[in-house]
Amino acid sequence: AEVDYIKLKKQYPDNPAISYRLASLYYKIAVDKNAEEKFDDALASLKKASKEDPNFPGIAATEKVINENKKFDEILPLIKKANASYD
């Protein structure tokens, strides 16, 4: 999908719908990478999303969550284990 959107963006560089869809794709990738605990990749994808559409909803909040996850990366497995016994 990324390649297709980039091609469209080259054809229609001023079309905000294409930028929005590309930002949406990068945002989704960031969320997926965060779930996989690949925090640096997630932040890189969020940066791409923000570049495509600085007003894309949720970027700031998601970046905060990813940074918190990255900060607590060492403890996350223990939290997951505790969460599993809580549920």
Side-chain angles (χ1 to χ4, degrees):
E2 180 182 16
V3 172
D4 294 329
Y5 285 129
I6 290 172
K7 286 179 187 176
L8 282 172
K9 189 166 174 95
K10 287 179 182 177
Q11 290 177 329
Y12 306 98
D14 298 324
N15 188 311
I18 296 168
S19 293
Y20 182 87
R21 290 300 302 160
L22 195 50
S24 178
L25 173 67
Y26 290 138
Y27 181 84
K28 182 185 179 322
I29 291 169
V31 170
D32 291 346
K33 293 294 181 185
N34 181 57
E36 296 169 9
E37 298 179 10
K38 296 179 181 176
F39 306 120
D40 290 332
D41 292 343
L43 291 170
S45 292
L46 266 189
K47 186 175 181 179
K48 287 181 176 182
S50 182
K51 183 179 176 188
E52 287 302 324
D53 187 344
N55 298 314
F56 191 86
I59 289 178
T62 302
E63 183 177 18
K64 182 179 177 184
V65 168
I66 293 168
N67 279 321
E68 287 174 359
N69 288 346
K70 185 177 177 182
K71 181 179 175 184
F72 298 112
D73 186 31
E74 191 174 295
I75 195 109
L76 281 177
L78 300 173
I79 291 171
K80 285 182 181 178
K81 185 176 178 181
N83 285 346
S85 64
Y86 179 76
D87 293 338

